[in-house]
Amino acid sequence: AQSVTQLDSQVPVFEEAPVELRCNYSSSVSVYLFWYVQYPNQGLQLLLKYLSGSTLVKGINGFEAEFNKSQTSFHLRKPSVHISDTAEYFCAVSILKAAGNKLTFGGGTRVLVKP
Amino acid sequence: NAGVMQNPRHLVRRRGQEARLRCSPMKGHSHVYWYRQLPEEGLKFMVYLQKENIIDESGMPKERFSAEFPKEGPSILRIQQVVRGDSAAYFCASSRQGNTIYFGEGSWLTVV
């Protein structure tokens, strides 16, 4: 079975400051990795994904994430946040070659951007 | 996630009533997934369906919950005899085989 741990449940950050959201996973097989964002009372929007290739993945809204296989991590970063980045962020994994694309989510990290 | 349509967006049910949540996948997607998000928690997988087949229901509660994805029409998640603990956001997602899944806007169920 897979598991995903998001080490920070809440991250307050000032506008224009950098932010890093930590994600670690556990799996006995190779996985795909994803970051989703959820704005209040809305669904999940895909920020970025790692399937293979370059370990540095760039996504929408200026976010990027780096896959580190030895540390089983997939931390999300943004060099300068905006008020509009206030949202909840979810890290997720799915198993390669499994039937369908079932995702296992972390508990989420709530980002509050302060002016 | 623009193409995955869920309705209703908000549903209020009294204890003991039935709740039916509908999901129309994106065009060309034959795989549907249902997830549940309890208050202050992450999303938990419930069930994965393809047309007319349940592929993986390992996350579904053993009683009162059922899901279908008929040959024609939307996928339906049905909760019978709802209890307060069923209050949650229910998200549908869809994909093509082996591809990224896209989420709908969610259905918020409140049991009073």
Side-chain angles (χ1 to χ4, degrees), chain A residues 31-106:
Chain A
V31 296
Y32 295 135
L33 296 147
F34 305 82
W35 275 99
Y36 285 87
V37 59
Q38 184 181 30
Y39 299 103
N41 297 318
Q42 294 188 25
L44 275 73
Q45 181 179 2
L46 180 67
L47 275 178
L48 48 79
K49 59 186 176 184
Y50 173 78
L51 305 181
S52 64
S54 172
T55 56
L56 183 62
V57 180
K58 293 191 183 296
I60 62 171
N61 300 343
F63 284 93
E64 64 179 32
E66 185 154 20
F67 170 54
N68 187 319
K69 189 174 182 179
S70 62
Q71 296 186 4
T72 60
S73 68
F74 191 53
H75 300 332
L76 180 71
R77 302 186 190 95
K78 185 169 181 177
S80 176
V81 296
H82 303 289
I83 295 288
S84 59
D85 292 322
T86 294
E88 188 147 23
Y89 294 79
F90 292 97
C91 182
V93 302
S94 68
I95 309 170
L96 291 176
K97 301 180 183 177
N101 202 358
K102 180 171 111 178
L103 291 167
T104 300
F105 284 89

Side-chain angles (χ1 to χ4, degrees), chain A residues 10 32 34 36 38-46 49 51 88 90 93 98-108 110, chain B residues 1 9 31 33 35 37 40-45 48 50 55-56 58 91 95 97-106 108:
Chain A
Q10 293 190 50
Y32 295 135
F34 305 82
Y36 285 87
Q38 184 181 30
Y39 299 103
N41 297 318
Q42 294 188 25
L44 275 73
Q45 181 179 2
L46 180 67
K49 59 186 176 184
L51 305 181
E88 188 147 23
F90 292 97
V93 302
N101 202 358
K102 180 171 111 178
L103 291 167
T104 300
F105 284 89
R110 191 160 293 174
Chain B
N1 65 351
R9 291 294 312 279
H31 300 246
Y33 312 78
Y35 289 78
Q37 184 178 31
E40 306 300 321
E41 292 187 19
L43 280 77
K44 301 284 192 239
F45 169 80
Y48 159 47
Q50 294 181 28
I55 307 301
D56 181 347
S58 58
F91 289 95
S95 74
Q97 173 68 35
N99 268 312
T100 303
I101 76 171
Y102 294 90
F103 284 82
E105 294 284 299
W108 269 258

